[in-house]
Amino acid sequence: MPSLPPPGPDRRLAVLALAVCALAVAAAVVSFVRGSFIGIVWILLAGVSSNMAWFYFRKAKLERARQAEVAG
């Protein structure tokens, strides 16, 4: 069973949210290394985007399971 859902809008949104999360974490690290507390905003953005990624991955997984149940 593949870890990624099949191609579609939910998968695309999940992957983009995961990319935003990774970039926000990198930006937070750079901000904190430079001594700026704006990194707190980047951490909050990483939290929101990781929740979005989890939501869309879960939504695609449930949709795939529902389709398999109907087909099978």
Side-chain angles (χ1 to χ4, degrees):
M1 183 176 202
S3 61
L4 287 176
D10 289 335
R11 177 180 174 179
R12 193 174 309 116
L13 287 171
V15 171
L16 287 175
L18 200 58
V20 169
C21 180
L23 291 173
V25 168
V29 169
V30 169
S31 293
F32 285 131
V33 166
R34 289 186 175 184
S36 174
F37 287 108
I38 196 76
I40 294 170
V41 174
W42 290 114
I43 292 295
L44 292 173
L45 181 63
V48 169
S49 62
S50 70
N51 286 343
M52 287 176 59
W54 177 84
F55 173 79
Y56 285 115
F57 274 123
R58 181 76 177 144
K59 183 178 175 186
K61 182 180 176 183
L62 290 174
E63 181 68 25
R64 184 177 59 218
R66 188 179 63 79
Q67 287 176 353
E69 184 179 298
V70 169

